[in-house]
Amino acid sequence: DAGVIQSPRHEVTEMGQEVTLRCKPISGHDYLFWYRQTMMRGLELLIYFNNNVPIDDSGMPEDRFSAKMPNASFSTLKIQPSEPRDSAVYFCASSQTLRTGRYGYTFGSGTRLTVV
Amino acid sequence: QKEVEQNSGPLSVPEGAIASLNCTYSDRVSQSFFWYRQYSGKSPELIMSIYSNGDKEDGRFTAQLNKASQYVSLLIRDSQPSDSATYLCAVNEGRETSYDKVIFGPGTSLSVIP
C-alpha cells in the first residue's frame, strides 16, 4: 500500500490567496483526519470524517477553513483567504477503526504551508 | 477541554541506557492510548498502543498504563542514537460518540548520546 498521500509537500503563498491541500487515504480506511502542527500548539485536530461524512469540525479555527471529502479516496482542506498565522505543517491521517477506537492512525507526509 | 501532558524535555540519555517517557491525561474514561515517534521534519509514526492496565512489551519498547492514576509511560531499553526523536503521547476521547477522536500531547524530545 502506498500509505496516506498528501499534496503538495510544500506550499508558499501570499497572504489573501486561496490554498488547497489534498489527501488520499489508505484504501479501506473509513476515517480521515486533518491535523495542523506548529511549535507553539503542537498537533491540533482540525476536522475528521467517517465514511466521507464530517463528524467533528470543532477544531477548525475559523470560517476561512473548510474541508470536504467527496468520496472515500479523496479529501481537501481549503483556506481562503490565507493569513501568515496559518503557516504550519498540515497532516492528513487515516484509520480503520472499530467503535472502541482501538487503532492508531497512519499519517501522510504532510504539507508545509508558508504564507508570506 | 481534554488534555494530554508530557514533559517537553529535551531528555538526554547515553547510548545503551533506558529512556523513560511519561504522559498524563485528564479524561477519566479514555480507553485507548498510543505512542508515536516523530523524527525531525517527518510525520508521526505509531510505535505502541495499549488499552489495559499494566505493561505491554514490543521489542525494546514497553508501554505502561495506570488508568487509576491517569498515567501512561514508554520505556525504551538499550537506547540507540536512532531513537533520537520526539515522542508523542496520544489518548482517545472516552465518550461513545467520539472514541475515534484522539488528542495528542505536546511531545517529549529525546536525544540519545553516543
Side-chain angles (χ1 to χ4, degrees), chain A residues 4 23-35 45 47-56 69 71-73 75 92-107, chain B residues 95-102:
Chain A
V4 177
C23 176
K24 176 180 169 58
I26 291 173
S27 177
H29 281 192
D30 54 350
Y31 281 83
L32 183 140
F33 305 82
W34 283 101
Y35 280 86
L45 176 64
I47 185 171
Y48 75 98
F49 297 83
N50 176 220
N51 292 322
N52 314 336
V53 176
I55 303 300
D56 186 340
M69 191 165 186
N71 56 62
S73 60
S75 177
C92 174
S94 71
S95 176
Q96 182 181 34
T97 68
L98 302 176
R99 290 301 296 164
T100 56
R102 285 197 165 199
Y103 291 90
Y105 303 165
T106 300
F107 281 82
Chain B
R95 296 189 307 278
E96 184 175 350
T97 54
S98 59
Y99 279 145
D100 307 297
K101 182 176 179 178
V102 169

Side-chain angles (χ1 to χ4, degrees), chain A residues 19-89:
Chain A
V19 175
T20 299
L21 311 181
R22 298 173 176 80
C23 176
K24 176 180 169 58
I26 291 173
S27 177
H29 281 192
D30 54 350
Y31 281 83
L32 183 140
F33 305 82
W34 283 101
Y35 280 86
R36 176 172 68 176
Q37 188 174 40
T38 61
M39 289 293 292
M40 290 298 294
R41 301 176 68 90
L43 262 175
E44 301 175 276
L45 176 64
L46 300 177
I47 185 171
Y48 75 98
F49 297 83
N50 176 220
N51 292 322
N52 314 336
V53 176
I55 303 300
D56 186 340
D57 65 354
S58 60
M60 297 285 261
E62 48 198 274
D63 292 345
R64 297 185 298 107
F65 285 70
S66 62
K68 295 181 179 180
M69 191 165 186
N71 56 62
S73 60
F74 184 66
S75 177
T76 59
L77 178 67
K78 185 177 295 186
I79 308 172
Q80 166 63 21
S82 58
E83 296 183 2
R85 60 191 167 123
D86 302 330
S87 298
V89 179

Side-chain angles (χ1 to χ4, degrees), chain B residues 6-22:
Chain B
Q6 299 179 250
N7 292 329
S8 61
L11 173 66
S12 294
V13 299
E15 184 175 355
I18 296 175
S20 178
L21 305 165
N22 303 317

Side-chain angles (χ1 to χ4, degrees), chain B residues 26-43:
Chain B
S26 64
D27 189 349
R28 285 192 165 276
V29 296
S30 291
Q31 298 294 323
S32 303
F33 307 87
F34 308 92
W35 284 99
Y36 287 79
R37 177 177 62 199
Q38 187 175 24
Y39 292 113
S40 180
K42 302 295 185 181
S43 58

